[in-house]
Amino acid sequence: MLNGRGKSDSAIVAGKPTNKAGQPAAESVEPSAEAEGNASQQSTRRAQDRESVSQALERIRQVARQRKKERFTSLFHHISVELLRVAFFALKRDAAPGVDGLTWQDYEADLDRKIEDLHARVHRGAYRALPSRRHYIPKADGQQRPLAIAALEDKIVQKAACAVLNAIYEEDFLGFSYGYRPKRSQHDALDALITGIHCTKVNYIFDADLRSFFDSVSQQWLIRFLKHRINDTRMLRLIQKWLKAGVLEDGVLTVSDRGTGQGSVISPLLANVTCTTCLISGPSDGDIVRPWAT
């Protein structure tokens, strides 16, 4: 909890009174004033964190919207204690653990100290990304889809970095792009498709899928694409830590120069950056040639 689980500010705690003979069973005990106060403080703290983070990201968003060619040089400091805490509470609480074995509930205990320590390690360069744990889920065609499940602290920092980068790239992504974007879904894409079919003359509908896209993206090209907008070396180095952390499967660590680790928190954003850059620049641009090709 935000105020330190397992700690108590006084020796007074809520307890169930002893029933006396001949008296009816005691009613359920009301929460103590102290417990209610702690809950209120936590709620206020989280609201303040969200407000602080929202204001900082909105400033980035405004610059990205107004200056389409701007290369951002100072983003890393936005990965603050407040943003890391907001990122933690935005994670799925029942998500599978990575190689660290930590669950959301494990990390919540003594959260403030852990977030402060994580923030300090990130900013002094001592943070090290752990390999992702390989996990497979069945596909509709009977094959297995490989997922990369990141360690909990990697999820937190990736979620925070995504928030900063999304403030920029949500201003750049194309209107007909729906996959893995905030406040958009496949249902929105289908609605747009139906509207287009009914309101516009359509001769063909082209349905295509990039095979093993998340596993095939060139990391070298990806970093080059990110540099079109990001000129903060510490932010780029942080992303490269995740790309180079590798995947652990059956005790064997595999590190590749391709792929973004499908299943990780930041992977969808990096994939969208690749797709959008290719679509905007087009095949005639000498700097962009099939970054996912082998």
Side-chain angles (χ1 to χ4, degrees), residues 248-282:
L248 191 65
E249 180 177 6
D250 296 330
V252 178
L253 177 63
T254 302
V255 179
S256 174
D257 60 357
R258 293 191 173 277
T260 59
Q262 184 174 8
S264 69
V265 174
I266 202 168
S267 179
L269 173 62
L270 299 180
N272 275 332
V273 168
T274 300
C275 288
T276 300
T277 308
C278 291
L279 288 169
I280 291 175
S281 300

Side-chain angles (χ1 to χ4, degrees), residues 16-280:
K16 185 176 180 180
T18 303
N19 292 331
K20 295 182 180 179
Q23 291 186 354
E27 300 291 332
S28 59
V29 179
E30 292 290 331
S32 70
E34 179 185 338
E36 290 181 342
N38 284 343
S40 177
Q41 290 175 5
Q42 292 163 15
S43 178
T44 301
R45 175 76 167 278
R46 290 176 63 179
Q48 291 173 341
D49 285 347
R50 289 193 297 268
E51 180 63 23
S52 172
V53 167
S54 178
Q55 291 176 2
L57 297 182
E58 180 58 31
R59 289 192 291 270
I60 299 174
R61 193 174 292 112
Q62 289 177 2
V63 175
R65 185 183 305 126
Q66 295 166 6
R67 307 176 198 168
K68 292 297 185 181
K69 299 296 183 181
E70 182 79 10
R71 297 180 68 206
F72 291 81
T73 59
S74 183
L75 294 172
F76 197 75
H77 72 278
H78 287 289
I79 301 180
S80 60
V81 169
E82 293 79 11
L83 180 54
L84 290 172
R85 195 157 39 226
V86 169
F88 170 76
F89 283 106
L91 295 176
K92 294 181 179 178
R93 304 189 179 195
D94 59 349
V99 297
D100 58 348
L102 283 175
T103 65
W104 190 95
Q105 290 76 15
D106 293 333
Y107 204 85
E108 186 191 19
D110 199 13
L111 179 62
D112 273 357
R113 181 190 62 79
K114 291 174 182 174
I115 290 293
E116 291 277 359
D117 177 68
L118 176 59
H119 175 263
R121 282 184 282 123
V122 167
H123 282 268
R124 70 172 184 264
Y127 161 76
R128 296 289 181 268
L130 294 177
S132 294
R133 179 172 66 86
R134 177 64 79 205
H135 178 69
Y136 291 92
I137 59 173
K139 298 172 64 175
D141 60 4
Q143 298 183 25
Q144 296 286 309
R145 185 187 306 280
L147 298 182
I149 302 176
L152 190 67
E153 284 196 335
D154 294 334
K155 292 178 183 177
I156 296 171
V157 184
Q158 286 184 23
K159 193 75 171 179
C162 273
V164 175
L165 296 176
N166 266 328
I168 299 169
Y169 285 108
E170 278 300 307
E171 300 300 323
D172 293 350
F173 289 155
L174 302 172
F176 55 75
S177 168
Y178 290 90
Y180 305 106
R181 291 182 57 188
K183 299 180 181 179
R184 291 189 172 214
S185 70
Q186 63 270 33
H187 302 294
D188 298 316
L190 289 173
D191 288 344
L193 177 62
I194 293 172
T195 300
I197 291 173
H198 284 99
C199 299
T200 310
K201 183 180 179 180
V202 176
N203 294 322
Y204 302 97
I205 296 177
F206 183 61
D207 182 15
D209 180 30
L210 296 174
R211 185 173 58 187
S212 301
F213 177 73
F214 287 94
D215 299 322
S216 306
V217 172
S218 166
Q219 295 172 7
Q220 180 181 4
W221 280 103
L222 170 59
I223 295 300
R224 291 174 69 175
F225 292 163
L226 288 168
K227 287 181 178 179
H228 290 180
R229 277 299 233 170
I230 312 301
N231 197 29
D232 185 331
T233 56
R234 292 203 296 171
M235 182 65 82
L236 292 171
R237 194 178 302 121
L238 182 63
I239 295 171
Q240 287 175 310
K241 284 184 178 182
W242 297 319
L243 295 175
K244 299 300 182 185
V247 176
L248 191 65
E249 180 177 6
D250 296 330
V252 178
L253 177 63
T254 302
V255 179
S256 174
D257 60 357
R258 293 191 173 277
T260 59
Q262 184 174 8
S264 69
V265 174
I266 202 168
S267 179
L269 173 62
L270 299 180
N272 275 332
V273 168
T274 300
C275 288
T276 300
T277 308
C278 291
L279 288 169
I280 291 175

